Amino acid sequence: MRQDNCVFCKIIAGEIPSHTLHEDEQFKVILDVGPATKGHALILPKHHYANLYELPENMAADAMRLAKKMMTTMTDKLKCDGFNLVQNNGEVAGQTVFHFHMHLIPRYKNDGEILKYIAGEPDQEELAQIKKTITE
């Protein structure tokens, strides 16, 4: 499955060059051309799925296993101090390329990168209502 106007499908097909760190039957891992930090990479499934909602469950599990393997290797080789795994779904969530991908972002002390959300302050009643909405 491929989408002709998808930049990641073109990278996977070899139409656009990339720096590949890992490749297997299901995934290709490449260095991001607009990295947040040194070593920032992307896990791309070889078949086109717009987001995590479309990705089959077994591939989602395999993507997480691959992320763990890659971040372990990258931490050892790059000597980074921590790691962010980022996966966005939908434009409002920050997704800009609509082909499922997971960011592997090595973190270094004082790297200046900020990946942060502003914590809300819901009261217990609001939390209870949200729980009810989700679980019923």
Side-chain angles (χ1 to χ4, degrees):
M1 224 167 33
R2 175 190 160 140
Q3 202 170 73
D4 289 336
N5 62 344
C6 174
V7 66
F8 290 161
C9 287
K10 290 178 180 180
I11 289 170
I12 291 161
E15 296 169 19
I16 296 174
S18 65
H19 294 277
T20 302
L21 302 178
H22 171 87
E23 187 165 5
D24 60 31
E25 311 78 43
Q26 291 187 103
F27 299 100
K28 186 169 190 157
V29 181
I30 64 169
L31 288 175
D32 194 310
V33 296
T37 64
K38 182 177 103 179
H40 180 169
L42 303 171
I43 295 177
L44 310 173
K46 288 188 170 181
H47 293 287
H48 185 89
Y49 301 97
N51 50 44
L52 185 58
Y53 299 111
E54 291 185 6
L55 193 70
E57 282 188 34
N58 64 321
M59 284 192 75
D62 291 344
M64 188 56 76
R65 278 190 281 277
L66 178 55
K68 181 179 176 12
K69 175 184 171 185
M70 292 301 303
M71 70 179 269
T72 300
T73 299
M74 292 167 75
T75 297
D76 178 55
K77 301 288 186 176
L78 296 172
K79 307 298 183 212
C80 58
D81 302 304
F83 230 95
N84 288 117
L85 299 179
V86 177
Q87 202 285 305
N88 304 316
N89 295 280
E91 187 175 347
V92 71
Q95 186 177 10
T96 58
V97 178
F98 295 90
H99 179 122
F100 172 89
H101 57 288
M102 187 181 305
H103 294 262
L104 306 172
I105 306 174
R107 299 306 304 270
Y108 306 90
K109 288 181 183 148
N110 303 314
D111 64 17
E113 183 59 38
I114 299 171
L115 299 174
K116 184 180 177 179
Y117 66 92
I118 298 169
E121 297 181 19
D123 60 30
Q124 290 302 311
E125 186 177 317
E126 184 179 358
L127 291 172
Q129 184 57 47
I130 294 167
K131 175 187 172 189
K132 182 178 178 184
T133 299
I134 293 170
T135 59
E136 290 184 1

